[in-house]
Amino acid sequence: MSYYLMILVGAVLVNNFVLSRFLGCCPFLGVSKKTETALGMSGAVVFVMTVAAAVTWCVDRWLLAPHGLGYIHTLAFILVIAALVQFIDIAMKRFLPALHGALGIFLPLITTNCAVLGAAEINYKQGSGFCESVFFSFAAALGFGFALLVFSGLRERLAHANPPACFRGVAVALVAGGLLSLAFMGFSGLVKLPY
Amino acid sequence: MVLKVFWQGLFRNNPTFRLVLGLCPTLAVTTSLENGLGMGLAATFVLCCSNGLVSALRKVIPSAVRIPCYIVIIATFVTAVDLLMQAYLPALSASLGIFIPLIVVNCIILGRAEAFASRNGVIASLADGLGSGLGFTLALALVASVREIVGAGSLTVWGDLAFKNLNPGPATLAILPAGGFIVLGLLLALMNHLAAWKARRQGAPAPLPVSMDCRHCTLCGHGKEVAK
């Protein structure tokens, strides 16, 4: 139990996926202008990353490893993730239309979100077990969502600020992201990291 | 035509500073000049090869399944680079870590395949890949040099050519994750300022400061939303 708690705290606060590992920076800057869109994106990422971790673990353990095909794991993982996102899109539209209305437009973005493939790669490199992999991906996605939500709050304030002309747009957002990352550095050393 | 495409990728449409694409590797691997150059050259190789192959196969690939086809082509070259780097440059491969396999999801590469290589000839696509790739490498090298000089006070290229004591009081913040965001933000502001200054001197209206610009890429719904 405490091991899983350590993974959770480590992935959300200490080694946050966006702010200290730099995975998923494009959606972090791209969909953080409004809190509602940030919430939708976070929900979609948590869902897809958790499912993707389970599926990529199975693909690795039962398809790639027995045939000695570990060297093409990147190729296999990205194809599986792309197909999975398509499948979730179709299934959600059919069975959960209300949820699809809220998260639908973010789903295609997730295929090229490096956090999803990054988590699968980290799990592969660690050689961790099924529950561990799925839980780590879930925690990492929560960390991504948490950072995105906090950052969208900052950006809603920034929209009313009046920075010098050359700082408008992404430049000032990046500096604000840097300050947020600095704040998260205060959590370092909180737990001994299993990952 | 070919030279124009090359120079456009290098400066006017610089992937990092003008289009703001591929930010994850730009922030993550620029803690030292060596890492930045290694990442940039690996991405350039993948970009050239994938652009060339996508362009050569553009009449064969059915448009309904083109994105999965591009992903397979890109992932193949990325796997090749990953394995070659592990064999011949083990130290660089270890310090770049998972960011080498993650070249697969770098939006610059899919974006160029979709926006340029699928519509143009092989030679022009190769030039576009080389231009955009070297533009990316140049931007990475710039960010990495600033971070390494400010944060560590030295500049190392391939272990031999080392400049020491460039900065008497290194501010470690610059090579920490937070410094990556801040240095890139300041450099982007500088590029915006230079672009505005150049436009003013030519009497043209000042260009808008860059924002997340995915208009040229139609991969996901977000690009279309931005274009609207």
Side-chain angles (χ1 to χ4, degrees), chain A residues 19 21-26 29-30 71 74-75 78 109 111-112 114 117-118 121 166-168 170-171 174 178 181-182 185, chain B residues 23-24 27-28 71-72 75 79 99 101-102 104-105 110 173 176-178 181 185-186 188-189 192 209-212 220 222:
Chain A
L19 298 170
R21 284 190 204 247
F22 298 119
L23 293 167
C25 293
C26 293
L29 290 161
Y71 60 91
T74 310
L75 179 57
I78 186 67
L109 253 170
T111 313
T112 50
C114 49
L117 186 65
E121 287 282 339
C166 60
F167 270 97
R168 272 180 212 144
V170 178
L174 274 168
S181 165
L182 203 60
M185 265 172 58
Chain B
L23 284 183
C24 300
L27 290 164
I71 290 179
V72 172
T79 305
F99 284 94
L102 285 184
V104 177
V105 282
L110 256 178
L173 174 69
L176 291 174
F181 283 105
L186 295 178
L188 260 177
N192 285 342
V210 281
S211 65
M212 286 301 284
C220 62
H222 187 62

Side-chain angles (χ1 to χ4, degrees), chain A residues 94-120:
Chain A
R94 171 77 179 76
F95 297 111
L96 301 163
L99 194 62
H100 187 264
L103 307 184
I105 57 160
F106 303 108
L107 283 174
L109 253 170
I110 290 176
T111 313
T112 50
N113 181 345
C114 49
V116 183
L117 186 65

Side-chain angles (χ1 to χ4, degrees), chain A residues 80-105:
Chain A
V80 167
I81 290 170
L84 181 75
V85 171
Q86 282 290 323
F87 176 75
I88 291 176
D89 194 26
I90 295 167
M92 211 188 244
K93 207 186 234 166
R94 171 77 179 76
F95 297 111
L96 301 163
L99 194 62
H100 187 264
L103 307 184
I105 57 160

Side-chain angles (χ1 to χ4, degrees), chain B residues 10-217:
Chain B
L10 203 53
F11 294 111
R12 255 197 70 211
N13 284 336
N14 186 288
T16 306
F17 288 122
R18 301 309 321 170
L19 305 177
V20 202
L21 289 175
L23 284 183
C24 300
T26 311
L27 290 164
V29 304
T30 50
T31 47
S32 71
L33 183 56
E34 259 184 18
N35 288 353
L37 281 177
M39 180 74 207
L41 293 177
T44 306
F45 173 77
V46 175
L47 195 50
C48 271
C49 295
S50 72
N51 255 12
L53 196 58
V54 165
S55 167
L57 296 176
R58 70 186 186 279
K59 298 205 173 96
V60 188
I61 296 174
S63 81
V65 290
R66 65 188 192 286
I67 302 291
C69 295
Y70 299 162
I71 290 179
V72 172
I73 290 172
I74 294 168
T76 310
F77 288 117
V78 169
T79 305
V81 168
D82 192 16
L83 294 176
L84 283 171
M85 244 185 194
Q86 275 174 29
Y88 294 107
L89 299 164
L92 187 64
S93 169
S95 63
L96 293 179
I98 60 165
F99 284 94
I100 290 294
L102 285 184
I103 296 176
V104 177
V105 282
N106 189 327
C107 17
I108 299 169
I109 296 171
L110 256 178
R112 289 331 285 169
E114 168 76 7
F116 195 92
S118 61
R119 286 165 209 169
N120 290 285
V122 177
I123 304 286
S125 299
L126 283 175
D128 177 71
L130 196 64
S132 300
L134 290 181
F136 182 55
T137 311
L138 214 60
L140 282 180
L142 178 64
V143 179
S145 319
V146 171
R147 283 182 77 183
E148 202 182 342
I149 291 174
V150 175
S154 62
L155 209 55
T156 316
V157 189
W158 310 139
D160 307 324
L161 190 64
F163 300 91
K164 291 215 169 75
N165 300 327
L166 288 171
N167 176 4
T172 324
L173 174 69
I175 47 172
L176 291 174
F181 283 105
I182 294 173
V183 168
L184 185 61
L186 295 178
L187 283 175
L188 260 177
L190 179 69
M191 294 296 159
N192 285 342
H193 189 71
L194 287 180
W197 175 73
K198 204 176 136 202
R200 212 181 311 129
R201 220 181 42 168
Q202 290 169 344
L208 284 174
V210 281
S211 65
M212 286 301 284
D213 194 339
C214 334
R215 257 164 288 183
H216 62 283
C217 160

